[in-house]
Amino acid sequence: MTASPKPLQIDFVSDVVCPWCVVGLGGLETALGALAAEGITAEIHFQPFELNPDMAPEGENITEHIGRKYGATPEQSARNREMIRDRAAEAWSGFEMQMGPDSRIWNTFDAHRLLHWAGTVGPAEQRALKEALFRAHFTDNRPLPDAEVLTGATEAAGLDRAEAARVLEGDLYAAEVREAEALWRARGITGVPAVVVEGKWLISGGQPAAVFEEALRKIAGEVA
């Protein structure tokens, strides 16, 4: 097969409080690592999606939230968390999810504003911030609406903490994030992660690396 002559353009539509997005990103990156030997590469751009756009700043208990939103019992919620923890650790080289019954879920609009800003710096910087935010939420159980938590994640990603604080103090990139969220909703994205390749192929959900690898190989062949 002839590899694509240029990197595949991938939009990774996701939220930083979405555990399946951790699984999906791990699977996607593992697949791309395997495909590199075939000359198949990609540029990943992280796009915003808010699971809880109307959530109050104090967030909500995860067990109560899942029960209200999906009708899951506390026992079902605990089993699901355990399964997702295992999948995340497998998909992403031991990624630690410390989701317990008292964990909280948050509104993430400011996190998405920072991710947009990081994207203006560069794709590597945006990727580093994405991981730092995942770890702040899932591993460290930090409150994501807190400016200190967000700027700390920015610093952990190697970005300018003072500049991140400046972004958060005002409404920088708010319009851009809202516009991007509306765009992906208009394109039919209602759940995440959604991996959109070259603007027209969709791979949905936190898929294993093998699924991403097979799909991207086929897409690269069609693009070539």
Side-chain angles (χ1 to χ4, degrees), residues 12-21 47-51 184 189-195 203-206:
F12 190 88
V13 189
S14 61
D15 199 354
V16 294
V17 293
C18 162
W20 286 110
C21 296
Q47 304 291 352
F49 186 98
E50 288 180 82
L51 289 173
W184 291 106
I189 302 301
T190 58
V192 289
V195 179
I203 308 170
S204 296

Side-chain angles (χ1 to χ4, degrees), residues 47-167:
Q47 304 291 352
F49 186 98
E50 288 180 82
L51 289 173
N52 308 294
D54 300 318
M55 184 166 282
E58 63 270 19
E60 188 175 354
N61 173 276
I62 188 65
T63 303
E64 295 173 0
H65 176 79
I66 295 299
R68 177 181 57 78
K69 193 170 185 177
Y70 302 108
T73 66
E75 293 76 19
Q76 290 171 328
S77 185
R79 287 195 297 271
N80 287 337
R81 288 196 302 272
E82 183 176 358
M83 180 266 294
I84 295 171
R85 278 197 298 267
D86 291 344
R87 285 286 305 275
E90 178 183 1
W92 195 340
S93 300
F95 187 96
E96 291 186 32
M97 281 192 174
Q98 304 294 337
M99 294 188 299
D102 296 323
S103 296
R104 299 188 75 75
I105 193 163
W106 313 96
N107 174 273
T108 53
F109 184 67
D110 282 343
H112 286 298
R113 289 202 295 131
L114 284 183
L115 281 165
H116 184 94
W117 162 67
T120 69
V121 179
E125 288 80 4
Q126 191 184 44
R127 164 62 178 77
L129 181 57
K130 186 75 168 182
E131 178 174 348
L133 290 167
F134 274 151
R135 294 190 185 278
H137 175 64
F138 289 109
T139 304
D140 301 331
N141 284 304
R142 304 297 307 280
L144 285 187
D146 188 291
E148 285 297 309
V149 172
L150 291 172
T151 56
T154 301
E155 188 172 46
L159 287 153
D160 188 320
R161 186 168 187 159
E163 182 63 19
R166 188 178 75 85
V167 171

Side-chain angles (χ1 to χ4, degrees), residues 4 6-13 28 32 35 40-45 47 184 187 189 194-204 211-223:
S4 173
K6 62 182 181 64
L8 295 171
Q9 298 299 304
I10 295 179
D11 289 297
F12 190 88
V13 189
L28 173 62
L32 288 171
L35 291 168
I40 299 172
T41 61
E43 292 178 358
I44 300 175
H45 303 274
Q47 304 291 352
W184 291 106
R187 292 181 177 177
I189 302 301
V195 179
V196 181
V197 187
E198 293 290 322
K200 59 180 180 178
W201 286 281
L202 172 64
I203 308 170
S204 296
V211 173
F212 280 117
E213 186 176 338
E214 180 181 1
L216 293 174
R217 185 179 289 114
K218 289 180 180 178
I219 292 169
E222 293 196 34
V223 170

